């Protein structure tokens, strides 16, 4: 039988006691999590009676760190959000039209009337009154193009401008679409992450799936509807069941 010196036995029991003390909060997971969330909310200025009551559920002098149990052990909610890049294209086209109109207005004597025509959401169709002025109109509008702000689009412009009869057809270039998609997805990721982080220490999983989707998993959330409420309204996102 092994024999240990007294100081060794004391050290072993002390380590075990400390381990049990540190693990204690996980035996009261919901209570401690509510305490932690309330403490964070109070620190941020939301010192309501409800938050004070939740904060008082767990003694401040006890450890309050929790092990992330994840969805498989603890349950929770997950959503698959799809980024609506087409809406971004439409917004860009809406923003480009005033620039096109203002650029062509001083050239009306050469190009005639300038009228916006019905078009797909990701294009801009502008009717030029005098077809003889089409080359000039094309040159003026192409002059509005800007360099694509991305390393992969070096040398490319953000819009393509073509002629079709008496119509100027303006649309985002392929390089600009790719850059816009990337910016939109990254912005959506940050929005989702920030809004979920605001509700407390839930240790969510937020990751990109494919080119236009975001997988959101949050332990401890009761339902997908609750998770949607936390995320709130985000213009470029739609939610799909997983």
């Amino acid at each position: 039988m092994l024999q240990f010196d007294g100081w060794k036995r004391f050290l072993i029991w002390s380590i075990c006691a400390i381990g049990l003390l540190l693990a204690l909060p996980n035996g009261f997971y919901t209570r401690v999590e509510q305490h932690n969330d309330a403490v964070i909310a109070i620190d941020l200025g939301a010192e309501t009676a409800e938050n004070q009551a939740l904060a008082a559920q767990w003694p401040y002098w006890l450890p309050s760190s929790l092990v992330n149990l994840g969805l498989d052990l603890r349950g929770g909610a997950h959503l698959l959000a799809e980024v609506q890049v087409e809406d971004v294209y439409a917004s860009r086209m809406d923003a480009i039209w005033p620039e096109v109109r203002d650029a062509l207005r001083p050239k009306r004597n050469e190009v005639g009337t300038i009228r916006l025509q019905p078009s797909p959401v990701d294009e801009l169709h502008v009717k030029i009154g005098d077809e003889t002025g089409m080359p000039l109109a094309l040159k003026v509008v192409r002059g509005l193009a800007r360099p694509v702000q991305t390393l992969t689009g070096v040398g490319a412009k953000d819009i393509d401008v073509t002629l079709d009869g008496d119509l100027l057809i303006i649309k985002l270039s392929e390089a600009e679409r790719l850059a816009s998609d990337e910016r939109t997805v990254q912005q959506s990721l940050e929005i989702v992450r920030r809004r979920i982080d605001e509700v407390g220490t839930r240790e969510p999983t937020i990751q990109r799936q494919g080119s236009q989707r975001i997988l959101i998993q949050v332990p401890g959330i009761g339902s997908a509807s609750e998770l949607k409420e936390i995320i709130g309204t985000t213009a470029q996102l739609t939610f799909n069941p997983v």
Side-chain angles (χ1 to χ4, degrees):
M1 184 174 178
L2 294 176
Q3 296 292 330
F4 293 99
D5 295 336
W7 70 270
K8 290 183 179 180
R9 289 197 296 270
F10 174 78
L11 180 61
I12 292 171
W13 282 110
S14 297
I15 292 174
C16 291
I18 293 172
L20 288 173
L21 182 64
L22 293 175
L24 181 63
N26 296 283
F28 306 89
Y29 204 102
T30 300
R31 180 185 298 180
V32 176
E33 183 181 54
Q34 290 175 344
H35 161 84
N36 291 343
D37 290 348
V39 169
I40 291 174
I42 291 172
D43 289 342
L44 293 174
E47 195 168 350
T48 64
E50 180 182 3
N51 284 335
Q52 289 177 343
L54 291 173
Q57 289 185 151
W58 188 253
Y60 280 90
W61 51 271
L62 283 177
S64 58
S65 298
L66 295 170
V67 174
N68 182 21
L69 298 180
L71 291 180
D72 51 347
L73 294 177
R74 189 175 166 221
H78 50 187
L79 284 174
L80 190 61
E82 186 167 357
V83 182
Q84 299 299 307
V85 295
E86 293 81 6
D87 293 344
V88 179
Y89 301 158
S91 297
R92 289 289 302 278
M93 291 297 102
D94 290 342
I96 288 173
W97 162 238
E99 296 183 34
V100 172
R101 181 191 59 208
D102 293 345
L104 290 175
R105 186 172 288 162
K107 307 294 183 181
R108 275 190 173 175
N109 289 337
E110 292 91 345
V111 302
T113 57
I114 308 158
R115 298 186 183 277
L116 182 64
Q117 301 296 301
S119 60
V121 294
D122 58 345
E123 294 183 3
L124 199 63
H125 292 186
V126 180
K127 186 174 183 178
I128 301 301
D130 187 349
E131 288 194 32
T132 61
M134 290 297 288
L136 175 60
L138 180 65
K139 179 180 178 181
V140 170
V141 176
R142 281 181 173 171
L144 299 175
R146 303 179 181 90
V148 175
Q149 300 297 319
T150 175
L151 293 177
T152 57
V154 174
K157 298 294 185 179
D158 62 345
I159 58 174
D160 289 333
V161 188
T162 57
L163 297 179
D164 184 7
D166 60 352
L167 288 179
L168 279 176
I169 299 177
I170 306 157
K171 57 185 178 181
L172 297 179
S173 66
E174 187 61 29
E176 178 61 20
R177 284 174 181 259
L178 292 174
S180 176
D181 292 354
E182 183 65 24
R183 287 194 300 268
T184 303
V185 172
Q186 290 301 324
Q187 289 170 359
S188 299
L189 277 167
E190 289 305 315
I191 290 171
V192 171
R193 185 173 290 112
R194 184 170 62 250
R195 292 183 180 177
I196 291 178
D197 286 347
E198 286 174 356
V199 303
T201 56
R202 299 186 184 277
E203 301 189 43
T205 298
I206 304 168
Q207 60 188 22
R208 184 171 179 173
Q209 278 202 345
S211 60
Q212 298 176 13
R213 291 184 173 184
I214 300 172
L215 178 64
I216 308 162
Q217 297 178 320
V218 184
I221 294 292
S223 65
S225 298
E226 184 180 349
L227 181 53
K228 287 182 184 179
E229 289 179 4
I230 291 173
I231 296 172
T233 302
T234 303
Q236 281 80 43
L237 291 180
T238 58
F239 299 102
N240 303 310
V242 179

